[in-house]
Structure formats: structure tokens, C-alpha cells
Amino acid sequence: MDRFKKILVAASPGHLEPLTLRTAANLADANRAHLTVLDVVAPLPPWRKKMNVEGRIVDVEAALLQDREERLRHMVQNTRGAKATEVMVTVGEPFLEVIRHVFARGHDLVMVGESEVDTAALPQPSSGVMHLLRKCPAPVWVMHPSLVEELRILALVDPDPSDLVRDGLNDLVLELATSLARRMDGELHVGHAWTMEGEATLRTSPIVELPGRIVDVMVRDTEAFHRDQLSVLTHRHQLDELGASILMVSGEPGVVLPRLADRLDIGLIVMGTVGRTGLRGLIMGNTAETILRSVRCSVLAVKPQGFVSPVKVRRGSL
């Protein structure tokens, strides 16, 4: 499935990670997609945009834009498979300009690279990247330099038959993950974390006083329910054909899923960032944000159908 047709690579100001551009070029080639690289220059104070130097008017902002554009073009020309890439440089707030281009040009994927960090510390998404993850209507792929050579993809799902929006998001996550696994010859894993809410209270409360064996049965029933729902979801997407491994772990998702990704040496996590719609500007849930801040790998974050970005831009204005 040619899932992505218009890919936008968002360069951090004046810098583009080579890994991000190479991956984007390969993905665009595999999907026969149009690829655009966008860099955004911070606006200069009015008095610095044009300066009079010894009687000569120097357009400082235009010079900076030209320098950025030529540097990006040189990088693109030296990246295999990226020679047909469109290069654009503009002025503004980076995350706002990216979202503006998504609305105006119909990009269906945004890719952004994060700089290398101290290996002793977890990579933390920059504020601009977090704004994109929260507000961009298109899927956002945050590329970390730690991407492993042999791509292992982990699709995080949370089946819930009573929540049609969440179930739709699960379908979208698996569609993207399976498409990428096929196009990029990746190894696919599907992960789901489950808990029985209130288990600790039921086991220890002097008020409830439930026998431990009763709580044990409730936990087993809860686990069986989650396993059945996960099976329904994965069979719907025919994951057996890809040889995908299906993994269910017990515990708080924000804790056990990053551990699962680390144990499997995952290079890319595909996950949903918003569990529900209906509220304008709804940001990521706590679990999604915790996972994003707790993993060392790249993340492709998607939002459910019907998500309404809080950023207001005029469509078709470019």
C-alpha cells in the first residue's frame, strides 16, 4: 500500500539530520511520493531585516534565507534518491509554518530529526517537536540518530470495543506499521500493556476484604479479556502474513512499554498520541507523552480520525 504520497521533512533551523533525509528519500521512493524539505528561519527584529552600511542597503533576512536554501540544496543533491526533492525556506515560528504547509499542501507525513544527545541520557523531544506532536494533523515521525541498522518496528495498540475512536486509532497505527514493515523490509512487533484497575486496593483494603483467590480470578479474567480483544484486532489486519510477533505485557503502559521497546532493540515505535476527539485542541494523553519521553528510538505518532488541530491557518494560502 502506498500509504504516504506527500512527505514533508522539517529541518531544525539551519540543520537537517542526514539520517532523516536518507530515510525520507527511501520512503518517498518506495511510495512514489513527492518529497519536500522545509526550513524555517526565525524572524529578525524590524531594524535588522535591512541595514544601511556605508550607503549600501543590505537585505540581511534575504541573505540568510538564500544561505539556508543553498546549504539544504547541496545536502539534498548529495543524498542518494533525494535529487528531485523540493526545497523551501521561509520565515516564522517553525512548528506553525510546518502545520501551515500541511494544511495548504496536503502533506500526509511530517518527518523531523532530533540532534544526537549524550548516550547516558534519554533523548528529550524539543519544545518545537512536542508542539508538532500535539497539534499537527498529519502523522509526525520523530527521527532519532539511534535508529538501528535492521529496522524493528513496534506498533503500540490499546484495543477497546466500547470506544470506536480508540479502535479506529488502533487500526490506523497497524495500517501504518504494516505498510512501513513491507516497504522498508522491517521486522514487525505489536505491543499492548494491560492492567486490572484497582487490583492493589482490592488486595489490601481492610474495608473490601476480598479473598486473594477471588482477586486472582478477576486478574486472570481481565488478562483473558485483553488477550481476546488483541487477537481480534491483529487478526483483522492479517499480521500472520508478515510474521509479526504479538506481545502483551502487564503493568502501567508508560513504564512497561518503553522497557519492551528497549528489550526488543526497537528502531521505530508507531503509536497514537490522542485517545479521544470531540474537544478542540485536545493534547496528548499522559501515557503517550510519558512513552515519548522515555524511549531512545524513533517514534511515528498518529492522531485519530476527526482530530481538530488547535492551530488555525488558512487552507491553500501558500
Side-chain angles (χ1 to χ4, degrees):
M1 177 175 66
D2 296 335
R3 187 60 179 76
F4 302 115
K5 302 308 295 182
K6 291 185 177 181
I7 301 172
L8 178 65
V9 177
S12 57
H15 180 69
L16 178 59
E17 288 291 335
L19 174 63
T20 305
L21 182 57
R22 289 199 305 271
T23 304
N26 291 338
L27 187 60
D29 181 64
N31 285 269
R32 298 184 292 277
H34 181 268
L35 181 60
T36 302
V37 173
L38 173 68
D39 194 6
V40 184
V41 178
L44 296 175
W47 64 271
R48 282 196 57 203
K49 289 184 178 181
K50 293 184 179 181
M51 301 182 70
N52 190 327
V53 182
E54 298 179 352
R56 176 187 175 186
I57 302 298
V58 179
D59 192 331
V60 179
E61 189 169 81
L64 293 177
L65 289 172
Q66 182 180 2
D67 179 75
R68 296 277 180 91
E69 185 172 343
E70 288 305 314
R71 288 177 184 273
L72 282 178
R73 288 190 187 282
H74 179 75
M75 184 176 181
V76 165
Q77 288 299 316
N78 285 279
T79 300
R80 190 174 67 177
K83 288 182 172 55
T85 300
E86 181 181 11
V87 175
M88 302 181 69
V89 181
T90 188
V91 177
E93 176 65 38
F95 84 90
L96 289 175
E97 290 302 315
V98 169
I99 294 175
R100 179 172 174 246
H101 276 73
V102 168
F103 276 122
R105 296 193 163 206
H107 296 289
D108 47 28
L109 176 65
V110 173
M111 301 182 70
V112 57
E114 288 282 72
S115 300
E116 189 86 54
V117 295
D118 185 349
T119 54
L122 286 172
Q124 294 295 311
S126 64
S127 60
V129 168
M130 291 304 294
H131 277 303
L132 280 178
L133 289 166
R134 290 169 177 151
K135 302 168 184 176
C136 182
V140 177
W141 185 334
V142 183
M143 182 75 66
H144 286 297
S146 59
L147 183 67
V148 293
E149 289 298 322
E150 183 181 352
L151 181 60
R152 295 185 180 91
I153 301 171
L154 175 61
L156 300 182
V157 296
D158 186 18
D160 184 350
S162 67
D163 189 333
L164 295 179
V165 172
R166 183 185 297 180
D167 232 26
L169 186 57
N170 290 325
D171 286 331
L172 181 56
V173 165
L174 288 181
E175 285 173 13
L176 294 180
T178 53
S179 177
L180 288 169
R182 289 189 177 98
R183 289 296 184 186
M184 302 181 74
D185 195 24
E187 180 181 294
L188 180 61
H189 304 265
V190 178
H192 169 57
W194 71 278
T195 58
M196 191 187 87
E197 291 79 0
E199 178 187 353
T201 299
L202 294 176
R203 289 191 183 282
T204 60
S205 172
I207 299 173
V208 178
E209 294 185 340
L210 272 179
R213 61 182 178 79
I214 298 297
V215 180
D216 290 342
V217 172
M218 294 170 66
V219 171
R220 288 197 296 271
D221 287 348
T222 301
E223 181 180 9
F225 174 81
H226 281 267
R227 194 172 299 282
D228 288 346
Q229 295 306 316
L230 182 59
S231 178
V232 169
L233 176 63
T234 55
H235 277 95
R236 189 159 73 227
H237 288 267
Q238 302 176 329
L239 297 185
D240 291 344
E241 296 178 4
L242 284 173
S245 66
I246 314 300
L247 303 157
M248 202 169 83
V249 290
S250 174
E252 291 299 323
V255 175
V256 298
L257 292 176
R259 290 176 183 169
L260 177 65
D262 192 53
R263 175 165 62 85
L264 295 174
D265 196 20
I266 293 298
L268 173 66
I269 287 176
V270 183
M271 61 179 288
T273 57
V274 180
R276 295 177 183 274
T277 55
L279 296 176
R280 288 183 178 272
L282 185 65
I283 64 171
M284 289 185 293
N286 289 336
T287 297
E289 190 148 344
T290 299
I291 292 172
L292 283 162
R293 295 185 182 278
S294 303
V295 297
R296 300 179 183 275
C297 60
S298 300
V299 175
L300 173 54
V302 301
K303 300 176 183 68
Q305 295 292 332
F307 171 77
V308 180
S309 173
V311 175
K312 300 304 172 192
V313 294
R314 186 159 51 90
R315 291 178 181 270
S317 60
L318 295 181

